């Protein structure tokens, strides 16, 4: 019997590739770079399944290039790169990789919190440049993180994991989410606030919401104007949640003290002026980038593909309403 066909838009770790190779005929984009639009359109044709990345824009045109697609499995927890409504309309299941990257992403948000507030990257550059001439009472003064107020925007799995870590730093925790979660919040002593109040009270604001119409440019000029001049903004969610041009202005004009970013509005491009700022720590979208987590994400993405191809409900389907079987 011939094996089902799966198109993988870019190499992912072996944990997932092995599962696919065992049971499927795999077409892998041979280039270790983001697939072009043309490659995606050609690659999806004649396949039973597609395993794609957050850097692939999967819209109706791609779906219509192959009316027999049985699943679009995203290798990410966020799936704003996929037009889920279009997939649902066409009865195509879409899956993501939730859960396995929660702690890893929370760890990186904390890396950015510490690195910005304690000026770790500036300190590293300074030391390597041979500028360190001995201990100095005024050298690279940052701000304390412990006992400060942390404002968490988006109190889902990752936001809560960030809160858990904050309890070890004796922080006051505020959270904003479209849902109030009094029981979960009580575990961390977290207090619910409307966004404007959170922005005014927090010393460190960390973003963990999905990107959708209501969160696009959630943080812009008006919001920077509300934050404390000593506040830090951390973003490990999705770039367009922040108006990046407004952020650059806020950092240039010292409206806030600094920012720690892992994601950008127009990745991989940076807003003009951002790279020149010392009060920004900039990482290349690596929040989930550990061997363990990327391996687990690969396994989950492959398991979703195999489930759909074998007529089982994909374990982490995001549009379950399309699933008619068991
Ligand atoms: C995700 O899974 O959405 C992350 O951004 C990947 O690093």
């Amino acid at each position: 019997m011939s094996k089902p066909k799966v198109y993988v838009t870019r190499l992912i770790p072996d944990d997932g590739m092995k599962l696919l190779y065992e049971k499927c005929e795999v077409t892998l984009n041979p280039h270790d770079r983001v697939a072009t639009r043309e490659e995606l359109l050609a690659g999806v044709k004649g396949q039973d399944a597609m395993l794609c990345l957050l850097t692939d824009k999967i819209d109706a045109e791609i779906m219509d290039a192959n009316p027999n697609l049985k699943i679009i499995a995203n290798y990410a927890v966020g799936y704003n790169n996929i037009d889920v409504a279009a997939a649902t309309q066409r009865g195509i299941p879409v899956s993501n990789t939730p859960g396995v990257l929660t702690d890893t992403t929370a760890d990186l948000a904390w890396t950015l919190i510490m690195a910005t507030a304690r000026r770790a990257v500036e300190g590293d550059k300074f030391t390597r440049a041979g500028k360190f001439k001995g201990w100095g009472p005024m050298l690279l003064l940052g701000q304390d993180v412990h006992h400060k107020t942390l404002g968490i925007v988006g109190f889902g799995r990752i936001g809560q994991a960030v809160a858990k870590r904050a309890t070890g730093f004796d922080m006051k925790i505020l959270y904003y989410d479209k849902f109030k979660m009094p029981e979960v919040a009580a575990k961390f002593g977290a207090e619910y606030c409307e966004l404007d109040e959170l922005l005014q009270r927090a010393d460190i604001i960390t973003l963990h919401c999905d990107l959708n119409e209501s969160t696009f440019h959630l943080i812009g000029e008006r919001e920077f104007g509300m934050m404390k001049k000593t506040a830090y903004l951390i973003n490990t969610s999705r770039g367009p949640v922040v108006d990046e041009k407004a952020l650059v202005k806020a950092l240039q004009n010292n409206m806030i003290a600094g920012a720690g970013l892992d994601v950008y509005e127009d990745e991989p491009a940076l807003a003009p002026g951002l790279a020149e700022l010392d009060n920004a720590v900039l990482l290349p979208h690596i929040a989930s980038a550990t061997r363990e987590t990327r391996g687990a994400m690969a396994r989950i993405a492959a398991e979703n593909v195999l489930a759909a191809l074998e007529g089982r409900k994909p374990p982490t389907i995001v549009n379950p309403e399309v699933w008619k079987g068991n």
Side-chain angles (χ1 to χ4, degrees), residues 25-37:
E25 190 183 317
V26 178
T27 304
L28 173 65
N29 179 358
H31 314 289
D32 187 24
R33 57 156 170 75
V34 178
T36 63
R37 182 88 188 151

Side-chain angles (χ1 to χ4, degrees), residues 112-120 122 141-145 148 199 202-205 223-234 246-261 274 277-282:
L112 285 171
I113 291 172
M114 297 307 293
T116 48
R118 298 305 306 272
R119 304 177 65 180
E122 277 180 87
L141 303 187
Q143 289 189 51
D144 279 334
V145 170
K148 292 287 179 71
L199 296 174
D203 298 303
I204 297 159
I205 294 142
E223 288 70 27
F224 289 118
M226 289 183 172
M227 294 180 196
K228 298 181 185 178
K229 282 197 173 351
T230 49
Y232 295 98
L233 177 74
I234 307 298
L247 171 64
V248 171
K249 270 198 203 154
L251 291 169
Q252 283 169 339
N253 300 331
N254 299 312
M255 284 170 77
I256 60 171
L261 307 177
L274 185 58
L277 292 167
D278 279 339
N279 53 355
V281 174
L282 307 177

Side-chain angles (χ1 to χ4, degrees), residues 60-317:
E61 193 192 1
I62 303 266
M63 297 171 201
D64 290 340
N66 179 356
N68 298 317
L69 210 50
K70 295 186 183 64
I71 185 164
I72 300 169
N74 210 32
Y75 177 67
V77 64
Y79 47 86
N80 55 292
N81 57 307
I82 301 174
D83 185 342
V84 178
T88 304
Q89 241 178 23
R90 289 160 178 74
I92 307 171
V94 174
S95 64
N96 67 342
T97 62
V100 290
L101 45 69
T102 302
D103 285 315
T104 305
T105 304
D107 286 350
L108 193 95
W110 267 92
T111 306
L112 285 171
I113 291 172
M114 297 307 293
T116 48
R118 298 305 306 272
R119 304 177 65 180
V121 176
E122 277 180 87
D124 177 89
K125 283 189 198 152
F126 181 89
T127 309
R128 287 172 197 271
K131 294 182 183 167
F132 178 42
K133 304 295 180 208
W135 184 89
M138 305 302 276
L139 181 60
L140 284 169
L141 303 187
Q143 289 189 51
D144 279 334
V145 170
H146 63 84
H147 294 93
K148 292 287 179 71
T149 298
L150 179 66
I152 302 178
V153 178
F155 206 53
R157 282 181 294 257
I158 298 172
Q160 290 169 31
V162 169
K164 185 176 176 192
R165 285 153 178 74
T167 61
F169 283 76
D170 294 316
M171 297 182 90
K172 165 82 192 158
I173 302 169
L174 308 176
Y175 77 99
Y176 166 72
D177 195 284
K178 54 184 188 258
F179 304 110
K180 287 189 184 168
M181 289 170 251
E183 279 168 29
V184 181
K187 285 202 279 185
F188 312 112
E191 175 188 338
Y192 180 84
C193 274
E194 291 303 328
L195 182 60
D196 287 0
E197 187 187 340
L198 180 147
L199 296 174
Q200 288 164 36
R201 287 175 60 193
D203 298 303
I204 297 159
I205 294 142
T206 182
L207 305 178
H208 301 288
C209 49
D210 296 340
L211 172 62
N212 54 46
E213 276 171 20
S214 69
T215 59
F216 176 78
H217 282 191
L218 185 69
I219 307 294
E221 194 180 341
R222 172 186 167 277
E223 288 70 27
F224 289 118
M226 289 183 172
M227 294 180 196
K228 298 181 185 178
K229 282 197 173 351
T230 49
Y232 295 98
L233 177 74
I234 307 298
N235 191 8
T236 54
S237 63
R238 285 289 183 264
V241 173
V242 176
D243 177 343
E244 205 169 292
K245 285 199 184 103
L247 171 64
V248 171
K249 270 198 203 154
L251 291 169
Q252 283 169 339
N253 300 331
N254 299 312
M255 284 170 77
I256 60 171
L261 307 177
D262 185 46
V263 288
Y264 305 89
E265 198 168 343
D266 186 23
E267 287 179 21
L270 305 183
L274 185 58
E276 283 78 60
L277 292 167
D278 279 339
N279 53 355
V281 174
L282 307 177
L283 297 181
H285 203 151
I286 53 168
S288 65
T290 63
R291 289 186 197 288
E292 298 91 329
T293 291
R294 287 285 167 85
M297 288 166 64
R299 187 174 37 71
I300 292 182
E303 280 167 357
N304 277 290
V305 167
L306 297 179
L309 294 178
E310 290 164 7
R312 291 178 287 113
K313 186 175 175 183
T316 56
I317 188 168

Side-chain angles (χ1 to χ4, degrees), residues 7 39-48 50 62 65-66 69:
Y7 172 47
E39 285 167 351
L40 290 177
L41 282 166
V44 74
K45 286 206 175 104
Q47 303 287 334
D48 296 298
M50 178 182 210
I62 303 266
N66 179 356
L69 210 50

